[in-house]
Amino acid sequence: MTTMATTTAARADSVRYAALGAKLLMFALLLTALIWPDLSGIKGKAATARLIVYPIGAMVLPLWWWAYGRTRSKLHQTFPWPADLLLTLPWLIDLLGNRFNLFDTVSWWDDAMHFILWGLLTAGALLAFAPRNLSRGLTTFVALGFGATAAVIWELGEYVAFVRNSPELQTAYTDTLGDLTLGTLGALVAGLVVYRRSASAAH
């Protein structure tokens, strides 16, 4: 029993350190983008909007916890570090992908990111805010609702911020449809995974 408790505590510490490390790295990348914009990989790709939106996205759960969750949350007794890590990783991975120019040099990278990052984001939102006793159907519907809505907002933001004035406009319609489809599929997979994890934990 003591060994199991120690293992669980060590795992929780690892997740907490990973979440904090992801945030620190993300903020470091954003800071370097301010200092050396030509090297950031996001120049000409709505850099200003990313510098505003990404910190908000990574900090939304800690801010919610500070303002409300720590005293009145019925879902969590302590800060939900796994959810926080999942909600931080999409912003960090996107920055890294742009920093290493993967979106423009690897043909499948953009599609993979829309599927994977929306899956991570949806899983984080479900773990942070969705009740644990939802059925598989309701979990799936919540995941699809959140994921599809977030994907639409992202695509609208991309269009307003830089696509409409870039060479990508000619292929934007097809690309947007593909991005929305992959983001929604990623959210669907995340919903099923989170449900299975919650069901297993309940037993």
Side-chain angles (χ1 to χ4, degrees), residues 2 4-5 19-20 28 34 37 51 55 61-62 67-68 76 108 127 136 138 148-149 151-152 166 186:
T2 302
M4 183 179 297
L20 292 172
L34 282 173
L51 290 170
L61 182 54
Y68 175 84
H76 307 286
W108 49 264
L127 290 178
R136 178 186 300 175
L138 282 176
T149 301
V152 169
S166 78

Side-chain angles (χ1 to χ4, degrees), residues 12 52 77 133 142 147 175:
I52 296 171
Q77 299 300 316
N133 58 349
V142 171
D175 183 65

Side-chain angles (χ1 to χ4, degrees), residues 65 95 115 125 175:
W65 184 260
L95 284 173
F115 178 80
D175 183 65

Side-chain angles (χ1 to χ4, degrees), residues 174-190:
T174 301
D175 183 65
T176 296
L177 288 177
D179 291 347
L180 289 173
T181 300
L182 289 166
T184 303
L185 286 174
L188 172 62
V189 172

Side-chain angles (χ1 to χ4, degrees), residues 91-168:
W91 315 105
L92 171 61
I93 295 172
D94 181 79
L95 284 173
L96 289 171
N98 280 290
R99 173 60 62 89
F100 293 109
N101 200 30
L102 297 177
F103 285 95
D104 295 327
T105 59
V106 180
S107 61
W108 49 264
W109 185 262
D110 182 69
D111 290 340
M113 289 302 97
H114 277 277
F115 178 80
I116 294 171
L117 300 189
W118 250 251
L120 294 175
L121 193 67
T122 301
L126 289 174
L127 290 178
F129 303 113
R132 296 290 172 267
N133 58 349
L134 292 181
S135 66
R136 178 186 300 175
L138 282 176
T139 303
T140 302
F141 278 122
V142 171
L144 286 172
F146 172 83
T149 301
V152 169
I153 292 172
W154 177 266
E155 294 300 325
L156 287 173
E158 276 195 341
Y159 176 79
V160 171
F162 72 94
V163 171
R164 59 180 176 165
N165 297 317
S166 78
E168 296 180 27

